[in-house]
Amino acid sequence: QVQLVESGGGLVQAGGSLRLSCAASGSIFSINAMGWYRQAPGKERELVATITSGGSTNYADSVKGRFTISRDNAKNTMYLQMNSLKPEDTAVYYCNANGRALFSGSTSLWWGQGTQVTVSS
């Protein structure tokens, strides 16, 4: 079993910053790409940013220049530094990871339970 746990969400005023963390634990053999997604009320889940095991990153246009994704492979932890937050960034933020569990012959996609980010105007 592999678990992903997000933390760091909360309420912040527009223009403020938050740092989200996503810690993977359990029977992990390897983790490849990891990513952050978000889902606002009444909307579909959307990509925020992704990062490969080698550190290559990709961002949604709406967050470029404001958000920074990073990871610590030794700790199996991923981060999302969010600056200059806007009310439209309000959503539940989810992390995911593509990897292989111990004694598994195939890769899996794991998801966290989500953390709420609310940006007030």
Side-chain angles (χ1 to χ4, degrees), residues 4 27 32 70 74 82 103-104:
L4 299 184
S27 303
N32 304 316
S70 62
M82 305 186 294
F103 312 117
S104 173

Side-chain angles (χ1 to χ4, degrees), residues 18-116:
L18 283 174
R19 188 191 194 210
L20 304 183
S21 297
C22 172
S25 63
S27 303
I28 300 169
F29 176 74
S30 63
I31 296 179
N32 304 316
M34 302 182 76
W36 288 100
Y37 291 73
R38 65 186 182 187
Q39 187 167 19
K43 295 188 176 181
E44 294 186 353
R45 190 173 298 188
E46 63 176 4
L47 170 72
V48 176
T50 61
I51 185 167
T52 67
S53 56
S56 297
T57 60
N58 179 57
Y59 295 93
D61 288 342
S62 59
V63 306
K64 281 181 181 176
R66 299 188 298 122
F67 291 10
T68 301
I69 189 172
S70 62
R71 64 190 282 178
D72 184 333
N73 291 331
K75 296 181 179 180
N76 288 329
T77 301
M78 174 179 63
Y79 307 96
L80 185 67
Q81 178 66 44
M82 305 186 294
N83 298 329
S84 302
L85 282 161
K86 305 175 182 180
E88 50 263 45
D89 294 318
T90 295
V92 177
Y93 283 70
Y94 299 90
C95 67
N96 76 3
N98 176 278
R100 181 171 293 180
L102 288 172
F103 312 117
S104 173
S106 60
T107 59
S108 301
L109 184 65
W110 305 301
W111 286 91
Q113 81 290 346
T115 186
Q116 177 70 47

